[in-house]
Amino acid sequence: MRKYISVIALSLICGASASADEGMWLPALISERIGDMQAKGFTLTAEDIYSISQASLKDAVVLFGGGCTGELVSPEGLLLTNHHCGYSQIQKHSSVDHDYLRDGFWAMTRAEELPNPGLGVSFLEYMEDVTDKVLKGYEDSMTEEERQALVKKNSQKLIDEAVSGGKGLEASVEPLFYGNKYYMFVYRTYTDVRLVGAPPSSIGKFGGDTDNWMWPRHTGDFSIFRIYADKDNNPAPYSEDNVPYRPKKYFHIAAGGVGEGEFTFVYGFPGSTREYIMSEGVRYISDISNPFKIALRTMRLDIQKKYMDEDQAVRIQYSSKNAGVANAWKKWQGEMKGIVRLGTVAKKQEFESRFMDWADGTEYEGIVPALDSLYKELEPYMYALDYYNESARTIELVQFAQRASALASAGKDSALGAVTDAFFKDYYLPIDKEIFVAVMNSYRENVPADFRPPYFDSTLAVYGGSVGKWADALFSTSVFCDRKAVEALGADDTLALENDPAVEFGREFSSWIGENIRPAVNRLNMEINLLNRDYMRGQMEFQPDKVFYPDANLTLRVAYGHIKGYSPSDGVYYMPFSTIEGIMEKDNPEIFDYNIPQKFRDVVATGDYGRWGEDGSVPVCFIATNHTSGGNSGSPVIDSRGRLIGINFDRVWEGTMSDIEFDPDFCRNISLDIRYVLFIIDKIGNADHLIEEMTIEQE
Ligand code: ARG
Ligand code: GLU
């Protein structure tokens, strides 16, 4: 084991030849990259980025709500993230009477800031290489199960020690490079986080799903929160007595403008990438799973849209759900195209054949063919599981029935009440029923009989083979369609609930999949992971001059690059900046996604942009070459002097395959220019009190 670890340590340090701007680097090891960053224009030090002995930029960055990033911008705990990251909070505070999604929300006093139960933000206290500690007691003779049990036990001990000493501490131990390395991440989590401001969706989601994942972009995708702490600045549950959190560090804002070619650095929490998997793994994604997942989601989106267009109340109910479905749907399309254009599968095959030649006679011999056959064995099971997840598992009534029946049987009345309220607030049965018919028909057509539960076929037979008739019955007889009936449920109804058609549907599917599909998927994935550990190490030995970065896993990373346009296709060049002129060009009251608020039009008509203007306009978004992924939403985009110039919120469509292969010619992250954020807070929100809290540098 030792031998391999030192090989990896070496390859992390030497060799500066990672291809241009690719990479998501661990902050604790940033001293290995700082020379390159400085050569590209950065003027601060590694300690300024990450330090455990002094305040550093990492102390101004948070994991927001377990899937996004946010940054501190005032000494009083003010935090910026994306509108789409705060979306479900904004949505939960909205109703037809006060529709903050539609109209925006601006707390004019601290008392008006809105608490969000369930929302937390986490600061990284420190990260540490714990490989030796986690593998303490490991012997080569151990099976993978034994190794996993050991890793789990040792990790738990480290975690327990790490969190014993303070309020709000949380820790996790994560494998990097497929378990060739382990790092512990220790966080401090604050749970009193209040909504302070959000532009109307017509600004915050301007362009909607039409422009999502695309450039040129004009989305004002930001929202504002504030972290509250107890009197000692420690994490505390929501209380009126809490006070604004005082950060160790907050970003100063550079409002003097940014130019093409300038250095940028994105500091945030990318969720998941798979840069080192073999060709078969990529082929499954681009040729099989992305296409059918896209097709299923197209149906769901069309159905949702039809009803949302008919009724404002339904639009509010389904806005957040719809955006969630649409987002991955569009990303997968770009990703597929990118993989095909780059020829990733063929390139990987070619790499694998060179690797195999090199591996001949070494301990890495045979890994590639073994992986290949495992992937082939996995494919039908993975397909069945993925198909189930994107069809049967998406039925809202079924999900609700399963949760609610469990709570009712356990006699948990108050939890049942809360779940029931939340469900019916945003439920519209005709959408769910129509989706049931569409996706279950596809399920029947596309999933081979051996890979679907016999329950499915036998129930279908009861309805003469008609999914529609099945839906008619299920959506009229299930008790879970009826709010009053659900509220009246108690522990004595357990028996009746077991026979409820929605409960039965959920139970039969999940237990059959659990018994017949999941075990194979888990076993094969475990074997693949195990081989990937060797394959990863082999790749590192095979390419000693290449600099490797660990795949994203929702831990804090540094990505750096520069502001740059790109050419999406022959004869077309995209400039790296957009301005409010582009908003006015797209503006159209007839098109939901492009209907900018009247107030915005009025401000633009005055031409008074205050300090935020540049050359008679206001900059809105820019693109750069930083390697980012899902989870980097809301990340601070930082200039050469460590100041905030923007908020990351997206990638360009032609570059979304960067989770699998990064192409410097096409991969661009999309950021909101911080001047547009300030312009909206100032001129649309009239919330100057927020701007006064910030430190704004005009030069
Ligand atoms: N594509 C961005 C991301 O992956 C933004 C998503 C939210 N916006 C939307 N229109 N669905 O999260
Ligand atoms: N919008 C994405 C997010 O929610 C970021 C875009 C990306 O995937 O790079 O994290």
Side-chain angles (χ1 to χ4, degrees), residues 137-172:
Y138 176 72
E139 281 160 27
D140 284 337
S141 59
M142 283 183 174
T143 63
E144 181 61 6
E145 279 83 359
E146 288 167 337
R147 186 184 188 275
Q148 285 191 351
L150 179 79
V151 165
K152 202 167 160 203
K153 192 181 100 214
N154 287 343
S155 299
Q156 195 54 53
K157 203 167 136 228
L158 290 169
I159 291 170
D160 292 344
E161 280 164 19
V163 301
S164 63
K167 283 194 187 154
L169 288 183
E170 289 174 357
S172 71

Side-chain angles (χ1 to χ4, degrees), residues 15-18 25 29-38 547 560:
S17 67
W25 309 97
L29 301 179
I30 205 63
S31 58
E32 293 164 8
R33 305 301 310 167
I34 196 75
D36 190 43
M37 292 176 78
Q38 288 167 343
V547 193
Y560 59 93

Side-chain angles (χ1 to χ4, degrees), residues 84 205 208-209 212-213 323 327 633 649-650:
H84 78 261
K205 213 187 156 193
D209 286 302
N212 191 21
W213 298 108
N327 193 40
S633 276
F649 70 97
D650 213 354

Side-chain angles (χ1 to χ4, degrees), residues 22-297:
E22 172 176 359
M24 311 173 158
W25 309 97
L26 289 173
L29 301 179
I30 205 63
S31 58
E32 293 164 8
R33 305 301 310 167
I34 196 75
D36 190 43
M37 292 176 78
Q38 288 167 343
K40 289 176 174 160
F42 192 52
T43 62
L44 305 186
T45 65
E47 280 278 296
D48 293 323
I49 296 175
Y50 175 92
S51 170
I52 45 174
S53 54
Q54 65 188 50
S56 59
L57 293 180
K58 83 152 170 54
D59 300 311
V61 183
V62 293
L63 176 64
F64 180 90
C68 279
T69 306
E71 55 275 4
L72 278 291
V73 289
S74 96
E76 296 181 88
L78 200 64
L79 176 158
L80 295 177
T81 186
N82 290 148
H83 187 261
H84 78 261
C85 294
Y87 204 71
S88 69
Q89 281 77 33
I90 305 167
Q91 195 255 358
K92 279 181 201 134
H93 292 296
S94 296
S95 65
V96 174
D97 295 338
H98 47 98
D99 187 348
Y100 301 140
L101 279 179
R102 188 187 60 204
D103 305 329
F105 171 77
W106 306 97
M108 287 301 165
T109 63
R110 299 272 158 96
E112 285 171 18
E113 298 178 354
L114 298 171
N116 300 286
L119 175 65
V121 298
S122 303
F123 291 88
L124 178 69
E125 294 268 307
Y126 63 94
M127 55 189 285
E128 184 187 339
D129 184 346
V130 292
T131 313
D132 290 342
K133 293 176 187 163
V134 164
L135 292 177
K136 194 160 172 239
Y138 176 72
E139 281 160 27
D140 284 337
S141 59
M142 283 183 174
T143 63
E144 181 61 6
E145 279 83 359
E146 288 167 337
R147 186 184 188 275
Q148 285 191 351
L150 179 79
V151 165
K152 202 167 160 203
K153 192 181 100 214
N154 287 343
S155 299
Q156 195 54 53
K157 203 167 136 228
L158 290 169
I159 291 170
D160 292 344
E161 280 164 19
V163 301
S164 63
K167 283 194 187 154
L169 288 183
E170 289 174 357
S172 71
V173 171
E174 306 290 343
L176 299 175
F177 297 116
Y178 292 95
N180 283 295
K181 285 259 172 196
Y182 289 90
Y183 266 77
M184 177 160 70
F185 298 84
V186 179
Y187 300 97
R188 191 179 298 273
T189 298
Y190 286 79
T191 51
D192 185 353
V193 184
R194 304 186 195 168
L195 178 64
V196 174
S201 294
S202 49
I203 291 173
K205 213 187 156 193
F206 182 79
D209 286 302
T210 316
D211 285 8
N212 191 21
W213 298 108
M214 309 266 260
W215 184 256
R217 192 65 161 278
H218 301 91
T219 312
D221 196 346
F222 76 94
S223 58
I224 312 173
F225 288 78
R226 190 187 304 281
I227 307 172
Y228 280 78
D230 70 12
K231 298 230 156 40
D232 303 317
N233 213 30
N234 284 317
Y238 171 80
S239 155
E240 275 184 28
D241 298 334
N242 284 348
V243 293
Y245 168 71
R246 296 181 305 283
K248 286 188 218 156
K249 183 94 188 169
Y250 68 91
F251 282 102
H252 290 196
I253 289 168
V258 286
E260 178 152 21
E262 278 177 31
F263 175 88
T264 62
F265 144 32
V266 176
Y267 209 174
F269 290 86
S272 153
T273 59
R274 286 172 286 183
E275 310 285 347
Y276 308 107
I277 58 172
M278 70 165 297
S279 55
E280 257 316 277
V282 178
R283 191 186 62 79
Y284 175 73
I285 296 169
S286 65
D287 293 8
I288 298 175
S289 76
N290 280 5
F292 80 72
K293 291 197 290 194
I294 291 163
L296 285 167
R297 286 195 179 206

